[in-house]
Every structure is written in structure tokens, then in C-alpha cells.
Amino acid sequence: MAVIKPFRGMRFDTEKAGELKTLCCPPYDIISEEQRKAFIAQNPYNVIRLELPKEGDDVYERAGEVLDLWRDKGVLVYEDKPAIYVYEMEFNAYNKRKRVKGLIARVKVEEFSKGVILPHEFTLSKAKEDRLNLMKATNCNFSQIYALYMDSEHTTLQTIDAESTADAAYAFTDDDNITHRLWVVTDEKVIEKLCADFADRKLYIADGHHRYETALNYRNYCRENGISKEGDGQDYQMIYLVDMEHPGLVVFPTHRMVRDLPDFSKYNVLAGCEPYFEIEKYTAVGNMNTLLAEKYNQGKKAFAFYCGKGEWYLLTLKDIGVMSKVLPDVSEASQQLDVSVLHSLILEKTMGIDKENMANQINLTYTKFLEEAIVKVDKGQFQCSFILNPTRVTEIRDVAAAGEKMPQKSTYFYPKMITGMVMNDIGVE
């Protein structure tokens, strides 16, 4: 099953590079060009220059040159001994202060077909090409893949909790009021115990599907070109591992906004929904979250269909049994996803937005922000929006275990891991 091992992490020497807060950045795929420039203006050693390179004629080659320069100057240094890292994020969600804690280690990458590491969402090829070019130029992971594991006794969590009772080795609070803490575990007996914990476990990718598929492509590229052989560092990638039942796990929904649909009519949408959904009309959005949460807690499939100027309709599925007829070729786990119900019964069947249209985002735009899904319809930028409840972590597990994938943008794990606290130089043992 899953194979994990420690590594000598590459980290910033803050005495030479500056305050850690100014050296780290959010994931590359949620950073605007304006933000990227601001990070560099604040500190020219910010990891964004490696993770999202934009300098020079060949941005990837330039990232490799910057990496070499920083290592030569001692701005980036390596752990003296192989370590496993305990990483905790403390954050606000659903009006509460929460914490999620896991471990960062090297994990042996395996093809999905082996059933050891399982995906849950479809990915886009362009993003994978970009990440592969960066890996070829640097032979590094600057950010972690995020994966979940099952541990009914929570033995691993107990171990890392015990290893993180003292003050963190590194800690800071970012501009989003997320506190990031990192502990360095070098005790060989503890590391041996943690590695043994995963011998009979599967891993479920929560976030970072592009990077994981890129890791497989990079491993194969290195083998095919004589750069590495089986068992070398290229077989392993840096992954953040979290207990699937951790009380701090938060999954936000990703809402759908509809635009440029010919002959759009809210009345036609409602008429198409009537055979399948109970429909309740509201004229203000103040109670939308509460009503959706009630349905979620009751285990019902429900959406808010927002039409603008405060007008919206609560759509509650009458009978989940209809999904076995609509999607007979997929598992029950996939049939019963909220996004499957929305996509198949409303977007496809009622509105004519098929899977190819969704994948290419011709008439569909995604947002994790409820306010955006409301305001942009009010401003006339979109014709309507669908507000969803979050996907349950157990649903993610069940779909992955069935060997299937959810549609893109089915989940949004929050918060996103920070980039730059610890990095993985694949060439360093």
C-alpha cells in the first residue's frame, strides 16, 4: 500500500532571506499577476519566483537558475537529518476558529490503476504541462499535494499530536488570518512508526490532482531519458497527509454561474425541475445559507436557484432513486453526489449544458464565493446561479474507492496549504 519516508527538507534561512511570512505564498493557481508582483516587491526571495516563474525568455530555465543561485548563497538550506514535518493550519470557517493538522512526507507515487493512491476529480491538461516543465527545470516540489487517509483508531494523529506539543519551529499568520505552524520530527523511532502506519493504507487525493498526475509523468520522463531508475528520488513526491476524520477538515462548495445561454428563461428551468424537485420561492437571500444547511443536515439534495434581485428558489430533490435511471453506468456513490444531481437533472436535462460545455466553461463559470454568485447575477453579468452545499469527505472517499472521478470543481478544501515553509529537492537524500 502507501509508502512514505522522511526527507531532508529544503527551507529558507530567514536570517539571510527575511521574515518567513514574506517568503511564502498561496498556491500558484489562485494567485493573480498583481499579487505575484506584490509578493516579489515585498521580498525578492519570495518562493513565488520558483513556484510561478515569469522571468526571462524561458521562464522554467530561469526558475532553475534562481533556485541554484539561492542555494549557492545559502538562502535555501537543507535539514541536517531526514525528517517528517507536522503541519497545522488554524483558520476561520463557518463562524468558528478551527485547526487541521497532518504530516508532510515523501510518498511513493503509483498509477491510479494500482488502487493505492486514488483521485476524485478530473483535471485539465494545460496545467499539467506547466507543472511538468517546472519539474524538469528544477527537480523540486515547492508545494505539497494534499491527500487523506483512513485511520479508525487515529493512531497517526495521536503520534503527530504528541510530536507537536512544544512551540512550532516555524509559525506565522498570513494576510487571510490563517496561522501556519511547522514542527520538524527527526526522531528515527517516531519516523519508523509513522512510516509503518501507512503500510496498509490507501490515500485519497484531496487537492493537487494536476501535481500528482504531473509527478507520474515526471517519474516516467526521468526513467525514459536515463535520468533516474526505479527506486530513485523521482519515484517520490512531497504530500501532506491528513486523517479523513480530522475534526478540522473543511470542504467548501463550488457554486455554478450560468452565462450567455440562448433563450434562457427561469420559468423554463423551473418547469423542467418540477418533476424532480420540490420548489419553494423566496424573495430575499438572508436565509439562503440556513435553509440549505437544514437540507444538508437532513441528508437531502438541495440547491438554491438564484435569478437576481433577491429572487431565488429552493430546489429539493424528491426521490434520489431517479439518479439510478439517469446515471445507470456509474456507482451509487457517484449517482448520489449533489453535483451529479445538479449537472444531470438541471444543467444537462433542463438547460442543455452538456459535459463538454461544462468542461470548456462555455456557459458555466465556477466560484467558491456565495456573494459573487449573487452579485454578478444582480449586475447582469450572469443569467442565474446555483448555490450548492459542500461535498462530504465520505462522499469523496466513496467515489474514489469506486474508481470514479467527480466533475471538475466538485470540492474546495479550505484552507489551501501555504507554499514555501518546506520544499522537496528530489535530488537530495
Side-chain angles (χ1 to χ4, degrees), residues 62 67 199 215 239 398:
R62 180 56 183 156
L67 175 63
I239 299 185
D398 293 345

Side-chain angles (χ1 to χ4, degrees), residues 99-118:
R99 295 186 182 195
V100 64
K101 183 188 290 184
L103 61 94
I104 297 173
R106 279 182 177 170
V107 180
K108 186 177 182 182
V109 296
E110 305 277 10
E111 286 79 5
F112 294 141
S113 60
K114 292 187 177 180
V116 175
I117 299 176
L118 301 169

Side-chain angles (χ1 to χ4, degrees), residues 111-122 146-150 202-207 209 244 330-335 337 340 391-407 410-411 413:
E111 286 79 5
F112 294 141
S113 60
K114 292 187 177 180
V116 175
I117 299 176
L118 301 169
H120 82 268
E121 280 188 351
F122 287 98
Y146 190 164
L148 307 175
Y149 63 87
M150 294 179 65
K202 296 181 179 182
L203 303 181
Y204 304 83
I205 298 176
D207 200 0
H209 288 80
M244 189 174 287
V330 300
S331 69
E332 183 177 339
S334 288
Q335 290 170 0
L337 292 170
S340 296
T391 302
R392 300 176 194 274
V393 176
T394 52
E395 293 176 319
I396 298 168
R397 175 200 65 199
D398 293 345
V399 170
E404 297 169 345
K405 297 180 184 180
M406 296 179 181
S410 293
T411 59
F413 280 84

Side-chain angles (χ1 to χ4, degrees), residues 41 59 64 102 155 207 248 338 428:
V59 299
T155 55
D207 200 0
D338 285 36
V428 172

Side-chain angles (χ1 to χ4, degrees), residues 246-266:
H246 195 291
L249 268 180
V250 170
V251 183
F252 285 156
T254 303
H255 312 301
R256 274 68 173 149
M257 302 185 293
V258 178
R259 68 179 188 279
D260 304 327
L261 199 64
D263 304 319
F264 169 78
S265 164
K266 67 181 179 185

Side-chain angles (χ1 to χ4, degrees), residues 6-7 33 55 59 115 219 234 263 309 339 367 388 416:
F7 66 106
E33 179 60 13
E55 304 168 30
V59 299
R219 181 203 65 184
Q234 285 79 359
D263 304 319
K309 307 305 180 186
V339 289
T367 178
L388 286 77
K416 298 290 187 180

Side-chain angles (χ1 to χ4, degrees), residues 203-232:
L203 303 181
Y204 304 83
I205 298 176
D207 200 0
H209 288 80
H210 293 116
R211 278 167 287 171
Y212 187 81
E213 292 184 31
T214 299
L216 287 170
N217 292 337
Y218 182 63
R219 181 203 65 184
N220 295 341
Y221 163 81
C222 289
R223 287 185 184 178
E224 291 164 4
N225 288 274
I227 299 170
S228 71
K229 62 185 183 300
E230 186 172 354
D232 285 352

Side-chain angles (χ1 to χ4, degrees), residues 213-414:
E213 292 184 31
T214 299
L216 287 170
N217 292 337
Y218 182 63
R219 181 203 65 184
N220 295 341
Y221 163 81
C222 289
R223 287 185 184 178
E224 291 164 4
N225 288 274
I227 299 170
S228 71
K229 62 185 183 300
E230 186 172 354
D232 285 352
Q234 285 79 359
D235 284 11
Y236 293 81
Q237 297 291 303
M238 181 172 63
I239 299 185
Y240 179 48
L241 303 166
V242 175
D243 189 322
M244 189 174 287
E245 295 181 356
H246 195 291
L249 268 180
V250 170
V251 183
F252 285 156
T254 303
H255 312 301
R256 274 68 173 149
M257 302 185 293
V258 178
R259 68 179 188 279
D260 304 327
L261 199 64
D263 304 319
F264 169 78
S265 164
K266 67 181 179 185
Y267 302 108
N268 289 342
V269 174
L270 292 169
C273 289
E274 196 169 355
Y276 308 105
F277 296 88
E278 296 172 359
I279 302 174
E280 302 169 68
K281 181 180 179 180
Y282 295 89
T283 55
V285 299
N287 61 346
M288 183 186 287
N289 268 337
T290 301
L291 292 172
L292 282 172
E294 287 178 0
K295 299 295 184 182
Y296 181 83
N297 292 333
Q298 294 166 7
K300 295 183 178 180
K301 307 299 175 184
F303 317 99
F305 170 44
Y306 185 70
C307 305
K309 307 305 180 186
E311 181 184 345
W312 67 282
Y313 297 83
L314 181 62
L315 310 176
T316 306
L317 187 65
K318 296 176 182 177
D319 179 12
I320 191 65
V322 69
M323 294 303 296
S324 62
K325 300 173 184 175
V326 175
L327 297 174
D329 298 326
V330 300
S331 69
E332 183 177 339
S334 288
Q335 290 170 0
Q336 297 194 3
L337 292 170
D338 285 36
V339 289
S340 296
V341 175
L342 174 66
H343 285 194
S344 59
L345 293 181
I346 301 179
L347 297 183
E348 291 188 57
K349 192 177 183 69
T350 301
M351 303 179 76
I353 303 175
D354 61 22
K355 289 182 176 61
E356 184 177 354
N357 185 315
M358 292 181 206
N360 294 321
Q361 299 184 39
I362 297 171
N363 296 114
L364 210 59
T365 297
Y366 303 93
T367 178
K368 64 180 183 293
F369 299 111
L370 172 61
E371 184 179 0
E372 182 180 14
I374 300 297
V375 171
K376 288 195 172 181
V377 175
D378 288 344
K379 289 183 175 180
Q381 296 172 263
F382 289 83
Q383 294 160 310
C384 68
S385 60
F386 291 93
I387 315 302
L388 286 77
N389 276 317
T391 302
R392 300 176 194 274
V393 176
T394 52
E395 293 176 319
I396 298 168
R397 175 200 65 199
D398 293 345
V399 170
E404 297 169 345
K405 297 180 184 180
M406 296 179 181
Q408 292 165 278
K409 308 295 183 181
S410 293
T411 59
Y412 187 91
F413 280 84
Y414 184 83

